[in-house]
Amino acid sequence: MTFEAVLRSATASPFDQDALDRLAKEALNAGEEEQAIPVLQRALARAPTARLWQWKGLLERAIEHHQQALDSLGKAAEIDPTDISIAHGLARVTMEAGLDARPLYRRARQLAPQNGQILIGLTAAMAAMGESEQAASKLQAGVEGSPMWLEGHKHLGQMLATLGRADEATASLERALERMPTSAPLWETLLNLQLRRGAYETLNDIVDRAEKAGVESPELRIYRGIYASELDPGTYPTALFDSAPPEIDAVLGPWRIRHLLRVGAVEAALPLIDRELARDASGHLWAYASTAWRLAGDPRSDWLEGDDRLVSVIDLSDSLPPIDQLAATLRSLHIAKGEYLDQSVRGGTQTDGPLFSRIDPVIRQLRSAIVGAVERHIAQLPPTDPAHPTLRRRRDRRVRFSGSWSVRLR
């Protein structure tokens, strides 16, 4: 059923809880939150239930109206203080808004003491309020008590890195493997964490250790291929280019392209790029296509990047808050001591969480300035092109941010 059909059904039955549930879910999936919120608002005027307030809050969060989302989720929590999904949602939105969410996360943990996502949220909220070391200790205790809690190991490694202790990022996994040396998921999580760190030189040794311990996971072959992609000087290293099952072949495809570009075999990379784009024309592949087509003199390079309107330079000066006030606000958010494992910052720090979800007026003004610039850029783009990674996107919706952060370099 299309969103329009779901909207008509909910509008025709404005007090049917099932119809309103379907509307809210479909609105989130389709990016049509703004059409659904008024329908929920009218229903709330007559039947202010916890579930309707929760849906309204989730829709408001999706469009980064966090002050309204806080109000809606707060009302939901007042009506039903025992609902774990409401309690967790209110805590998460409070932290995203830049407020102290520790009490709310502790309340949510009382309702669901074994919920790992809530523990991760609590430790993030603690870190945001300057309790990073205590947060790391709490997360450490969590993974020691549940050594197969893979998500906990990942978040602990990231937290230790931002504390300037990146050399300890994999320590909890190594301790878990001492207890369960034949656990393939633990070995794969260790490999993935090292991959996120860019520690390619460790991958082969880890696979050797896993196989020596008796692990026979086909996933291990992926990491041997990635090791070859980054470090093998040959043009076609066996670990990377041997035939593989379809699921592994799909994972290694981009790494093969990356390797061929690294060793200068541009012409050999071109057919692989065509194949991978036909299989998955997602964002990162276009970067490789751009490089290869430009180096090879392929006319598609001009199609992809040649139009000057694809890039705009926009002066934000007149719409920004006072620069000294903005600088002070951003500096106050840089509480980390080290770099994220999987981000590009070197010699500096990066803020945690979605920056533009914060309800601080200075941040809201900054966000508004950037939204205006993006809207002006979109308005002058070339015509739509369904094959082009930038020009194929629809342009009739509000500007959204898939991520937002501040970087401060030393």
Side-chain angles (χ1 to χ4, degrees):
M1 187 180 292
T2 66
F3 172 76
E4 289 73 18
V6 173
L7 178 61
R8 285 194 300 271
S9 173
T11 304
S13 306
F15 308 110
D16 181 334
Q17 183 65 63
D18 290 339
L20 293 169
D21 285 347
R22 286 194 297 273
L23 173 64
K25 290 177 184 176
E26 188 59 32
L28 287 169
N29 291 333
E32 298 287 0
E33 296 87 354
E34 288 175 291
Q35 292 198 60
I37 289 172
V39 180
L40 294 181
Q41 189 69 61
R42 288 192 292 272
L44 281 163
R46 180 166 171 176
T49 66
R51 189 192 301 182
L52 285 180
W53 279 117
Q54 182 184 22
W55 275 125
K56 183 170 176 283
L58 293 175
L59 293 169
E60 290 162 339
R61 173 183 180 254
I63 56 176
E64 292 189 330
H65 285 180
H66 275 63
Q67 185 60 69
Q68 294 93 321
L70 285 173
D71 295 341
S72 297
L73 289 168
K75 289 183 173 68
E78 289 174 8
I79 296 169
D80 189 352
T82 64
D83 187 296
I84 181 58
S85 65
I86 293 174
H88 188 194
L90 178 58
R92 182 173 61 243
V93 172
T94 299
M95 182 169 66
E96 290 174 349
L99 304 176
D100 185 359
R102 292 172 296 177
L104 292 168
Y105 269 113
R106 291 187 178 113
R107 168 63 179 155
R109 280 211 83 199
Q110 290 175 352
L111 296 173
Q114 302 303 316
N115 187 308
Q117 287 303 311
I118 294 176
L119 176 56
I120 288 171
L122 172 60
T123 56
M126 292 171 64
M129 300 306 295
E131 298 180 343
S132 298
E133 292 290 350
Q134 300 95 313
S137 296
K138 184 176 286 290
L139 202 50
Q140 176 75 60
V143 297
E144 294 292 347
S146 301
M148 284 301 298
W149 183 27
L150 306 180
E151 198 67 19
H153 287 292
K154 295 175 187 176
H155 280 271
L156 177 60
Q158 189 72 277
M159 184 172 288
L160 291 172
T162 62
L163 283 169
R165 296 160 56 187
D167 57 329
E168 302 175 42
T170 61
S172 67
L173 281 163
E174 293 287 4
R175 287 192 294 272
L177 283 165
E178 289 175 5
R179 298 164 63 179
M180 289 169 286
T182 60
S183 169
L186 282 173
W187 284 108
E188 289 162 15
T189 303
L190 174 61
L191 286 159
N192 184 260
L193 196 58
Q194 294 288 47
L195 179 59
R196 291 172 64 195
R197 294 180 65 193
Y200 304 111
E201 71 283 356
T202 68
L203 300 182
N204 251 6
D205 288 342
I206 294 172
V207 173
D208 286 343
R209 289 168 51 203
E211 291 177 343
K212 186 176 180 180
V215 176
E216 297 181 355
S217 169
E219 301 292 321
L220 297 179
R221 177 169 175 180
I222 293 172
Y223 295 96
R224 289 210 188 274
I226 294 172
Y227 175 91
S229 169
E230 295 301 304
L231 300 169
D232 195 307
T235 304
Y236 294 105
T238 300
L240 185 58
F241 284 94
D242 258 14
S243 60
E247 63 276 11
I248 292 177
D249 186 72
V251 174
L252 288 179
W255 291 98
R256 293 174 181 135
I257 296 167
R258 179 181 171 94
H259 169 78
L260 291 172
L261 294 177
R262 179 176 66 84
V263 299
V266 177
E267 293 293 336
L270 295 176
L272 292 185
I273 290 171
D274 291 340
R275 189 183 78 168
E276 293 304 318
L277 284 175
R279 178 156 57 184
D280 174 20
S282 60
H284 70 285
L285 285 170
W286 289 104
Y288 298 136
S290 165
T291 300
W293 291 346
R294 187 168 62 251
L295 290 172
D298 191 303
R300 289 176 293 181
S301 176
D302 188 63
W303 165 80
L304 181 63
E305 299 181 315
D307 196 308
D308 290 342
R309 291 171 292 177
L310 292 169
V311 176
S312 296
V313 178
I314 299 175
D315 187 345
L316 301 177
S317 301
D318 292 341
S319 50
L320 289 176
I323 198 69
D324 56 344
Q325 188 180 17
L326 175 57
T329 298
L330 292 175
R331 286 176 184 139
S332 72
L333 303 178
H334 284 270
I335 58 175
K337 300 176 183 177
E339 303 153 358
Y340 280 87
L341 293 175
D342 49 359
Q343 300 296 320
S344 61
V345 175
R346 297 292 181 270
T349 56
Q350 178 174 319
T351 55
D352 190 31
L355 179 67
F356 289 155
S357 294
R358 304 179 77 89
I359 60 175
D360 183 306
V362 173
I363 300 300
R364 298 306 293 181
Q365 186 175 347
L366 171 63
R367 184 187 187 281
S368 178
I370 293 175
V371 167
V374 173
E375 288 173 340
R376 294 196 296 277
H377 173 70
I378 292 171
Q380 60 80 58
L381 282 173
T384 56
D385 178 345
H388 195 282
T390 301
L391 302 178
R392 67 188 177 196
R393 308 296 179 184
R394 58 186 298 179
R395 306 177 190 180
D396 59 346
R397 299 211 178 158
R398 68 162 47 238
V399 172
R400 295 174 184 255
F401 296 90
S402 61
S404 51
W405 59 91
S406 164
V407 166
R408 186 183 187 190
L409 299 178
R410 293 187 293 272

